[in-house]
Amino acid sequence: MQITFLAEVRGGRVSTSRGKRYTTYYISLPKSLGIDLEKLEGKKIKVTLEIPDELLKP
C-alpha cells in the first residue's frame, strides 16, 4: 500500500546509541487511512520524506 498525505512533524528527543546521536520525531497518521495502529506500533515501515529546499541547512 502506498499513500501520500501532508503531516506535521513533532518531537525532537535526542538519544545516543553505539556512539551515534539520533533525534526522534513524530508524525500523526490520519485515522481515515484505515490503519490498525496497534498492529503498526513497534514495526518498521518505509517512509519517504519530501523536504522543501528552504528548510535544508546551507
Side-chain angles (χ1 to χ4, degrees), residues 35-49:
I35 298 171
D36 186 343
L37 297 177
E38 289 181 5
K39 289 182 181 177
L40 181 64
E41 189 172 330
K43 302 279 194 251
K44 292 185 179 184
I45 61 171
K46 181 179 179 180
V47 176
T48 302
L49 298 174

Side-chain angles (χ1 to χ4, degrees), residues 3-22:
I3 56 172
T4 301
F5 63 94
L6 295 175
E8 178 184 352
V9 179
R10 287 182 271 166
R13 193 183 84 212
V14 177
S15 60
T16 304
S17 176
R18 298 182 183 170
K20 293 185 179 182
R21 288 176 46 119
Y22 296 92

